[in-house]
């Protein structure tokens, strides 16, 4: 009896280990409900049979999101237009998923530019498809944060991410810096503009 119990415990432990994802180097979990998701490397699930990153819901109902992300110094991108591109595949996404890119400024909670693809989100079950976000990095930028996110339940895989400087002829996506930057003083308090 004890041997059977020990075998069951070992099988459950092994299954949990195999199901749980390993965190990719340089990436970290975040989001309003990050503990409701299993995130990391899904070995062999990439476009070419190599690794891909994945975010998978572990709770049946989630009111919030999880993201696998990175942040980098903005210094070498100041005054340039940048593009984050990559491929996403989804399974049973109940709400929305996609890439996101945020240009932050030092000593501030506000951002200078932002796009999380929520106006063109990945939903349901999809095959591999390329997506991109293009933003300007204005003066005053200190940090570039980016990643993939899943809101609600389901699973996404993402692969072959690319980060590059592009020509200003490439149109930007997301919110423009002048619409989201911090103003010098309160304005339009009567909503007449």
């Amino acid at each position: 009896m004890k041997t059977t119990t020990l075998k069951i415990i070992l099988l459950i432990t092994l299954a949990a280990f195999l199901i749980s994802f390993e965190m990719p180097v340089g990436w970290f979990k975040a989001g309003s409900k990050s503990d409701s998701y299993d995130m990391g490397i899904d070995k062999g699930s990439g476009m070419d049979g190599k690794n891909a990153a994945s975010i998978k819901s572990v709770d049946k109902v989630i009111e919030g999101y999880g993201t696998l992300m990175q942040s980098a110094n903005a210094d070498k991108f100041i005054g340039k237009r940048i593009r984050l591109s990559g491929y996403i595949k989804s399974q049973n996404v109940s709400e929305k998923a996609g890439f996101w890119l945020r240009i932050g400024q030092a000593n501030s909670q506000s951002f200078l530019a932002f796009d999380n693809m929520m106006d063109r989100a990945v939903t349901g079950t999809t095959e591999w498809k390329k997506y991109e976000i293009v933003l300007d990095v204005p003066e005053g930028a200190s940090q570039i944060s980016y990643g993939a996110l899943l809101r609600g339940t389901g699973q996404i895989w993402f692969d072959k991410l690319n980060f590059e400087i592009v020509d200003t002829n490439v149109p930007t996506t997301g919110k423009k810096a002048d619409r989201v930057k911090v103003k010098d003083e309160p304005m339009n308090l009567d909503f007449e503009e």
Side-chain angles (χ1 to χ4, degrees):
M1 195 70 160
K2 288 182 181 182
T3 304
T4 304
T5 304
L6 183 58
K7 285 181 183 178
I8 291 171
I9 291 171
L10 287 173
L11 285 173
I12 290 171
T13 304
L14 178 61
F17 176 76
L18 293 174
I19 293 170
S20 183
F21 300 124
E22 175 184 331
M23 191 60 58
V25 173
W27 293 82
F28 61 94
K29 287 174 68 166
S32 63
K33 296 288 185 178
S34 61
D35 290 339
S36 294
Y37 298 93
D38 196 2
M39 301 184 212
I41 298 170
D42 191 357
K43 295 184 178 187
S45 67
M47 293 178 62
D48 54 8
K50 294 183 180 178
N51 296 344
S54 182
I55 303 173
K56 180 180 182 180
S57 60
V58 293
D59 294 337
K60 298 217 184 278
V61 176
I62 304 170
E63 292 184 21
Y65 72 97
T67 180
L68 189 58
M69 65 173 287
Q70 288 188 355
S71 290
N73 189 312
D75 289 349
K76 77 180 207 175
F77 302 106
I78 302 276
K80 298 188 172 30
R81 184 164 289 180
I82 58 173
R83 174 170 49 207
L84 168 67
S85 62
Y87 293 82
I88 297 176
K89 177 181 168 180
S90 66
Q91 182 176 4
N92 300 324
V93 172
S94 66
E95 290 188 40
K96 297 179 177 186
F99 292 123
W100 64 273
L101 176 61
R102 180 181 64 224
I103 312 301
Q105 62 186 55
N107 303 317
S108 175
Q109 293 297 317
S110 64
F111 49 86
L112 298 171
F114 179 73
D115 186 355
N116 63 1
M117 288 183 48
M118 290 301 106
D119 61 344
R120 59 195 188 286
V122 177
T123 60
T125 299
T126 63
E127 290 302 317
W128 289 109
K129 182 178 175 185
K130 187 174 186 177
Y131 297 91
E132 62 181 44
I133 295 174
V134 179
L135 295 176
D136 289 323
V137 183
E139 290 295 327
S142 63
Q143 187 178 60
I144 299 171
S145 299
Y146 48 92
L149 68 87
L150 174 59
R151 178 175 293 281
T153 59
Q155 183 171 8
I156 61 168
W157 294 264
F158 48 107
D159 197 7
K160 300 192 181 295
L161 273 68
N162 189 34
F163 196 87
E164 62 189 323
I165 296 170
V166 295
D167 189 87
T168 55
N169 292 330
V170 176
T172 59
T173 62
K175 296 179 181 177
K176 306 289 187 238
D178 62 335
R179 297 198 58 200
V180 296
K181 69 181 178 183
V182 174
K183 309 298 183 206
D184 292 330
E185 58 187 61
M187 64 180 288
N188 194 29
L189 300 178
D190 61 1
F191 307 106
E192 294 301 316
E193 292 181 43

